[in-house]
Amino acid sequence: MQALRIHDLALHALGDPTRREIFERLAGGPLSVVHIAEGLPVSRPAVSQHLKVLCEAKLVTMHKNGTRSMYQ
């Protein structure tokens, strides 16, 4: 049942065009929120919220690099 839940979370996460764009940007390698947000029509806090959804769906991971959070 857990696999179905993660599958549903992934489909929900990628159903939003902004999250799909973020997901595609991360295909090129790890980025910080500042770099992910460049050129997107949403604020950095909104990008952070989208990243939270992508992380919960296990589509994106975050690790610390000094004081920066890097997503991939």
Side-chain angles (χ1 to χ4, degrees), residues 1-2 4-5 7 12 14 16 25 31 34-35 38 40 43 46 48 51-52 54 57 59 62 65 72:
M1 203 62 165
Q2 176 93 10
L4 182 58
R5 176 169 153 59
H7 178 74
H12 168 73
L14 293 175
D16 181 275
R25 287 180 183 207
L31 295 170
V34 172
H35 290 106
E38 287 177 358
L40 287 176
S43 67
S48 293
L51 285 164
K52 180 180 176 186
L54 290 166
L59 295 170
M62 184 274 289
N65 185 2
Q72 61 182 20

Side-chain angles (χ1 to χ4, degrees), residues 2-70:
Q2 176 93 10
L4 182 58
R5 176 169 153 59
I6 291 177
H7 178 74
D8 288 341
L9 288 172
L11 289 175
H12 168 73
L14 293 175
D16 181 275
T18 302
R19 286 194 287 268
R20 277 197 311 274
E21 175 66 26
I22 291 169
F23 184 74
E24 289 170 7
R25 287 180 183 207
L26 291 171
L31 295 170
S32 66
V33 175
V34 172
H35 290 106
I36 294 167
E38 287 177 358
L40 287 176
V42 295
S43 67
R44 273 190 263 161
V47 169
S48 293
Q49 289 299 311
H50 284 299
L51 285 164
K52 180 180 176 186
V53 173
L54 290 166
C55 286
E56 288 173 352
K58 309 276 192 245
L59 295 170
V60 170
T61 60
M62 184 274 289
H63 67 274
K64 293 285 189 178
N65 185 2
T67 59
R68 285 191 171 183
S69 296
M70 300 297 291

